[in-house]
Every structure is written in C-alpha cells, then in structure tokens.
Amino acid sequence: MRVNRCARTWPGLLLGLMVAVLGAPTPLALAEGSGPAPPAPASPAPVSPPAADPSVPALARVWPVGVRPFVVRGWEPPATAYSRGHRGVDLAAVPGAPVRAVAPGRVSFAGRVAGRGVVSVELSGTGAPPLRTTYGPVRASVRKGDEVLAGEVLGALEATDGHCGPTACLHWGLLRGTAYLNPLSLLPPWLLNTGPSRLLPLNPSGSRP
C-alpha cells in the first residue's frame, strides 16, 4: 500500500519541481503549443490632409475674411455641370466684416446678382483663362477694372441671405473659365494650418504684398 502511494506521489512532485525551475507556461506559449498565434492588430494609418489641386498655385497671402475663419461648409464638387453640389466654401463671419482679396489681381465684376452683392477678382499671372475668385454677399467698395493687392479690402460682408441659414458667412469661390475649383487650394500650408504668424517681405515701394 505504501509503495503504491509513493508511486502516485513522485510524478506530482516531479511536475511541481519542473514548474518551479522553468516557470509556468505563458499564454503565448500555450497558444504556440496549440497552433499558430493570431496576428497582432495593425496600427491605424495616419490620416493625411486632402491634397491640393495641382492646377491651382498656392498664391494666397491672406484669408478672404478673418484670420483663421471656421469653414461652415466645404467644397463639394458636383458630379456633372448640372448636378447638385457646393461650388465653393462658406466661411463664418459677422455682417460688416471686411472682405479682402486673397492675392493680387484685377476686379472683373463688382455689383449685384439677383439682389446679392458679388465681387470677382481675376488673379494676376495665373494663365489663360486666369483664375477668378468670387466673394459674396459683399457690399463692394471697389469697381470693375480696379487693381488690387493681396489683403486689400474689396467691401464689407452683408447680412446673411439665407445661404448659410441663420449663420452669417462669406461664400468664397474659385473658377478657371467656367470650371469651378476648390478655393482652399489657393492657401499655402502656413495659412491652412494654425501656427505662428508669418511676416511677408516688403515690396520695393515699402508696402507689403
């Protein structure tokens, strides 16, 4: 009887000694022993900002309104010329806020369209047909044919006309000929991103561009 009890005890003692020396098997070891371990979850890929339109040079030197305005509604290009979409961007602002030219150019239109004040500026050195920025609703302080510099005031933002609902905003557009483009493509990275202010070089006349 004593011999049989000893015979049953020795394997248990031997197993305990092996665990004490080698350590308990880890979950990974158990998984490897039972088959291939499941693959580790992949890290999420970094989200990149949308690429700018390569056909639009980033020549803007200021936002058309404010310093870094909130984009109420972004660029939503229509599928076809007659499809619904949003042919520009809406920038939050208060009525009466100054509306500025984002780059040098010539005023090609300043007036009212369907009761809404609109200013258009053809941008200098942007090919044929030139790029054309549009701003509305704006009470214009410039006239057709005026040459304007980047940052020059074109007029004042009028009260909302319902385009942005109860919120006042500036609708800013960009065209080449009759093709609508994303106006945010005009903004260089230092204007699109928040960060320290950047001083522009002086023109020979002593004024900033």
Side-chain angles (χ1 to χ4, degrees):
M1 182 69 68
R2 178 181 295 272
V3 175
N4 291 340
R5 185 179 297 114
C6 291
R8 288 195 299 270
T9 303
W10 273 108
L13 293 176
L14 183 59
L15 178 60
L17 181 62
M18 292 176 61
V19 169
V21 175
L22 300 177
T26 64
L28 179 60
L30 292 175
E32 290 176 348
S34 60
S43 301
V47 179
S48 301
D53 188 333
S55 67
V56 179
L59 48 74
R61 291 296 173 263
V62 294
W63 283 85
V65 67
V67 177
R68 181 64 172 86
F70 178 75
V71 179
V72 178
R73 186 178 178 187
W75 163 250
E76 300 169 12
T80 68
Y82 303 101
S83 300
R84 297 186 62 180
H86 194 232
R87 297 166 172 83
V89 296
D90 294 336
L91 306 176
V94 296
V99 177
R100 298 180 292 268
V102 299
R106 182 181 63 84
V107 178
S108 57
F109 180 84
R112 307 198 75 79
V113 177
R116 183 172 184 260
V118 176
V119 175
S120 297
V121 177
E122 291 182 351
L123 303 183
S124 303
T126 55
L131 291 170
R132 184 170 81 257
T133 51
T134 62
Y135 312 82
V138 176
R139 185 172 63 255
S141 59
V142 292
R143 296 180 297 179
K144 181 179 179 178
D146 286 351
E147 298 288 336
V148 295
L149 298 175
E152 188 167 340
V153 175
L154 304 173
L157 182 66
E158 294 182 326
T160 179
D161 58 357
H163 180 78
C164 291
T167 305
C169 72
L170 173 75
H171 181 77
W172 178 33
L174 176 67
L175 300 93
R176 187 184 292 279
T178 59
Y180 286 87
L181 303 169
N182 185 355
L184 293 180
S185 297
L186 288 169
L187 298 173
W190 61 270
L191 269 177
L192 275 172
N193 302 326
T194 56
S197 301
R198 171 179 170 180
L199 296 178
L200 299 175
L202 295 174
N203 285 336
S205 62
S207 61
R208 295 193 184 280

